[in-house]
Amino acid sequence: SSGLVAGETIGTVTITASGGTGAGDPAGSYALVPSAATGGSFVPSNYNIVYANGTLVVGAGSQAITFGAIANRVYGDGPVTLAATATSGLPVTYTVASGPATVSGSTVTIVGAGTTTLTAKQGGDSNYNAAPDVTQTLTVNPPVPVINSATTASATVGEAFNYQIIASDPSASFAATNLPAGLTLNQVSGVISGVPTTAGTKQVSIVASNSGGNSPTFTLALTVNPRPLTVTLQGSVAKVYDGTDAAFVRAANYQLGGLLPNDSITIAKS
């Protein structure tokens, strides 16, 4: 107010917002119409009161989205329901930014193993500005692998051996314990190979692993058979009768089959 004299004061002025109804009115511009100045120390009859209208501008409010972390899933699980909220109370929408999933409304359908990035959005309205987008990650692990190879295998001492571990997930890695001497496992390809050196049967424990976890332990009964060895006497042995039963056989009279390199054999008389 202006024009008051001698320190007089006005107690109250009634202001009406044209076009609004009160709290909760939408954002926008409203005409403010003052009237009925009263109270205080001034004497209304001493003044020619002129009321000047004003404008109230109500701007759009800000809002934020709360979008909590999503628990990991396993491929084959059912749909995932999202539950983000906006401080404005307005509905939140979702999109798939990347990854093996689709979204309809608030329901995510998993279409493969991997990592999916989901974005929560709220675009605002006449009262609220758009909220900043919020993203969350949905990690879908493959099922735990299952080994379905043959449960028995046989090898022979000194001969090359190959055994392929077969798992439900081709990308699984492998571990094995209690392999026969001379054999090793390729942890990536799942091939057990080598040249066994000792006969016998081993119960080999095998596990396949992926990002979903470890398979149940698979037992392979792996038998390493002895290597066949033949000793053949060839040619004839000459002896002049001397009244004894002794005869001499030279090394050249023997042919050995199946003897491993660096091994030797001793033939003793009997």
Side-chain angles (χ1 to χ4, degrees), residues 114-223:
T115 299
T116 295
T117 300
L118 296 160
T119 304
K121 298 174 174 287
Q122 212 311 300
D125 61 7
S126 59
N127 290 333
Y128 290 94
N129 294 317
D133 293 348
V134 178
T135 61
Q136 285 290 356
T137 298
L138 170 61
T139 299
V140 179
N141 294 313
V144 171
V146 176
I147 298 174
N148 45 32
S149 311
T151 57
T152 61
S154 61
T156 300
V157 171
E159 296 184 6
F161 173 79
N162 233 53
Y163 173 88
Q164 176 67 62
I165 304 170
I166 300 172
S168 57
D169 180 2
S171 66
S173 60
F174 302 92
T177 57
N178 203 35
L179 284 170
L183 299 183
T184 59
L185 168 68
N186 184 313
Q187 296 180 336
V188 176
S189 67
V191 173
I192 297 173
S193 62
V195 178
T197 60
T198 306
T201 297
K202 293 279 193 177
Q203 302 298 318
V204 181
S205 296
I206 302 172
V207 174
S209 303
N210 62 15
S211 58
N214 298 330
S215 71
T217 300
F218 177 87
T219 301
L220 168 65
L222 179 47
T223 299

Side-chain angles (χ1 to χ4, degrees), residues 11 14 88 104 135 168 180 189 241 243 258:
T14 300
S88 64
S104 176
T135 61
S168 57
S189 67
Y241 179 73

